[in-house]
Amino acid sequence: MDLGISGRVALVAASSQGLGLACATSLAQEGVRVTLNGRDDSRLEAAAARLRRAVPGAEVGVVTADLTTPEGRGRIVAALPEVDILVTNNAGPRPGPYSAWDADALHEALAQNAVPAVELMRAYLPGMRARRFGRIVNITSAMVKSPAADMGLSASARAALTAAAKSISKEVAADNVTVNNLLPERIDTPRQEFMARRRMERDGITRDEAYAAIAATVTARRLGRPEELGDACAFLCSAQAGYITGQNLQLDGGTYEGLI
């Protein structure tokens, strides 16, 4: 299917690896001019080189900036003043019990996983609305709908972003600008490696055993592949997806137990 977005301009936040890079790759395969973002210049340039090799002819730029700071976000917008597609993303807070959720931890979680996305949306929405095309995809987490006991910081901050995104989607839909969220769980990325190592240390098991234990919690009995999420992101950014907005698409191998 031709997604109708060849030549469009995209910013993918926190995209030097993992889900962000997967989304950037899928968009580049559709002919989108992609800019990657990250804090480490060498890792970012290496990711851009990998993407160019994976998608020959792809137009790939980079902007090194910490999107959790006003200065970093300002650097991003200065380097890329107008985009047609915005994919927001960032690593989540460390897991932990509620006893660790003091005011500083709560503020930091919001600063990582809610404020940057909302601020980038605010920066780019006027141009999208004026041009009457815009696609925003926020990578949040399955924890938004089914928080685990030790993931409250992540779930709370991402739920705040979900609420903001829904409100924004109502205001901009008539201008052909959509705002949707991807809710991944158990995708085979460096984040999952971190979770596996926590399980190895806690349970005294091998890496293979840790990954098998994680896969056993998924209804599909496997981890998701990054490119599966990337392709879902690309479709939500397509011309054909203009009637899909304000939605939360779960990529969890069927694990979520609820109806809605």
Side-chain angles (χ1 to χ4, degrees), residues 44 62-63 77 84-86 91 113 120 146 178 214 230 239 260:
L44 198 57
V62 300
V63 54
V77 175
D84 305 301
I85 294 168
L86 170 64
N113 296 123
L120 288 173
S146 50
T178 67
I214 292 170
I260 299 173

Side-chain angles (χ1 to χ4, degrees), residues 187-227:
I187 310 293
D188 193 5
T189 65
R191 173 72 170 180
Q192 209 53 234
E193 176 74 22
F194 166 75
M195 300 301 285
R197 294 201 172 275
R198 286 184 73 237
R199 191 178 288 254
M200 290 164 62
E201 294 170 6
R202 185 191 68 197
D203 300 339
I205 58 178
T206 68
R207 183 179 182 277
D208 287 346
E209 289 170 334
Y211 268 85
I214 292 170
T217 67
V218 181
T219 301
R221 294 296 184 266
R222 68 172 178 87
L223 299 185
R225 297 187 298 274
E227 59 268 25

Side-chain angles (χ1 to χ4, degrees), residues 41-254:
D41 190 58
S42 60
R43 288 180 62 185
L44 198 57
E45 290 290 354
R50 290 197 304 275
L51 177 48
R52 294 185 189 107
R53 288 194 298 271
V55 187
E59 295 187 52
V60 183
V62 300
V63 54
T64 305
D66 183 351
L67 58 85
T68 67
T69 68
E71 296 78 14
R73 293 189 293 272
R75 193 174 301 121
I76 291 169
V77 175
L80 198 65
E82 300 285 353
V83 302
D84 305 301
I85 294 168
L86 170 64
V87 180
T88 78
N89 179 45
N90 205 13
R94 291 181 65 87
Y98 75 88
S99 57
W101 306 346
D102 60 16
D104 288 342
L106 289 166
H107 290 156
E108 184 178 358
L110 288 167
Q112 285 180 305
N113 296 123
V115 173
V118 174
E119 288 288 84
L120 288 173
M121 283 191 274
R122 292 178 63 239
Y124 288 121
L125 276 167
M128 291 179 175
R129 298 181 75 180
R131 295 188 300 275
R132 297 193 61 79
F133 181 92
R135 298 289 184 265
I136 297 173
V137 177
N138 302 299
I139 302 176
T140 63
S141 169
M143 296 296 145
V144 168
K145 286 193 174 184
S146 50
D150 63 345
M151 298 293 285
L153 284 177
S154 176
S156 299
R158 297 182 196 277
L161 171 58
T162 302
K166 182 68 172 181
S167 296
I168 292 169
S169 73
K170 296 279 191 177
E171 189 171 349
V172 302
D175 296 317
N176 191 31
V177 178
T178 67
V179 185
N180 293 292
N181 307 308
L182 292 175
L183 281 61
E185 185 173 29
R186 308 304 193 201
I187 310 293
D188 193 5
T189 65
R191 173 72 170 180
Q192 209 53 234
E193 176 74 22
F194 166 75
M195 300 301 285
R197 294 201 172 275
R198 286 184 73 237
R199 191 178 288 254
M200 290 164 62
E201 294 170 6
R202 185 191 68 197
D203 300 339
I205 58 178
T206 68
R207 183 179 182 277
D208 287 346
E209 289 170 334
Y211 268 85
I214 292 170
T217 67
V218 181
T219 301
R221 294 296 184 266
R222 68 172 178 87
L223 299 185
R225 297 187 298 274
E227 59 268 25
E228 291 176 309
L229 182 135
D231 289 347
C233 177
F235 177 73
L236 288 178
C237 296
S238 71
Q240 292 90 333
Y243 206 55
I244 302 171
T245 193
Q247 303 302 309
N248 295 288
L249 176 60
Q250 291 189 240
L251 292 99
D252 65 355

Side-chain angles (χ1 to χ4, degrees), residues 14-52:
S15 50
S16 62
Q17 63 178 6
L19 300 180
L21 184 56
C23 290
T25 301
S26 292
L27 289 170
Q29 288 170 341
E30 295 299 324
V32 175
R33 296 156 55 195
V34 176
T35 294
L36 305 182
N37 157 250
R39 292 177 296 179
D40 186 308
D41 190 58
S42 60
R43 288 180 62 185
L44 198 57
E45 290 290 354
R50 290 197 304 275
L51 177 48
R52 294 185 189 107

